[in-house]
Amino acid sequence: MLQSSLDCLSCETYYAVIKERLIYRYRLATGHVLADAQGKAPIHRLTLYEKIGPGAHLCHWCGKLVEWRYTRLTRGQSLDGVLIADHIDEDRYNNAHDNIVPSSDAS
């Protein structure tokens, strides 16, 4: 993993992970329900969770009911009904609360 100093808020450590040539930023969130075994969670998912909370929510785009998935998905696993944190402006670095919405895979 590459350590990044991008947007270091409150002196928390951020990480960048290269996955299919896209960079996802992570924040240490030890103990958070969205955190992985190393205590890291994607910033965009943390931001949306802070905004809308746990449970089921309507997809911003199609109105379908979607729910948080707390375990890592495996390749080829269905995303049907899984809440995806989506960036309205398609800028994956713009993690402002008003830019991230719940979305379904169909959106």
Side-chain angles (χ1 to χ4, degrees), residues 6-19:
L6 299 173
D7 297 331
C8 185
L9 302 174
S10 304
C11 296
E12 294 175 302
T13 304
Y14 285 77
Y15 295 90
V17 176
I18 299 174
K19 182 178 181 181

Side-chain angles (χ1 to χ4, degrees), residues 52-69:
I52 65 175
H57 301 276
L58 296 177
C59 171
H60 175 82
W61 309 107
C62 70
K64 180 179 178 180
L65 193 63
V66 290
E67 294 188 60
W68 289 103
R69 175 139 189 153

Side-chain angles (χ1 to χ4, degrees), residues 3 6 12 14 16 21 26 35 37 39 49 56 58 60 64-65 69 71-72 78 86 89-90 96-98 100-101 106:
Q3 188 169 356
L6 299 173
E12 294 175 302
Y14 285 77
R21 290 187 278 170
Y26 285 70
Y49 193 88
L58 296 177
H60 175 82
K64 180 179 178 180
L65 193 63
R69 175 139 189 153
T71 57
R72 188 174 196 138
S78 172
D86 195 10
D89 67 0
E90 299 181 15
H97 280 251
D98 61 345
I100 303 177
V101 295

Side-chain angles (χ1 to χ4, degrees), residues 27-80:
R27 183 177 76 194
L28 285 176
T30 306
H32 195 284
V33 69
L34 297 178
D36 63 15
Q38 290 81 36
K40 300 183 307 291
I43 296 171
H44 61 288
R45 287 178 50 86
L46 287 169
T47 300
L48 185 60
Y49 193 88
E50 291 169 5
K51 177 180 170 181
I52 65 175
H57 301 276
L58 296 177
C59 171
H60 175 82
W61 309 107
C62 70
K64 180 179 178 180
L65 193 63
V66 290
E67 294 188 60
W68 289 103
R69 175 139 189 153
Y70 302 110
T71 57
R72 188 174 196 138
L73 293 170
T74 57
R75 185 172 284 253
Q77 190 172 1
S78 172
L79 292 175
D80 188 43

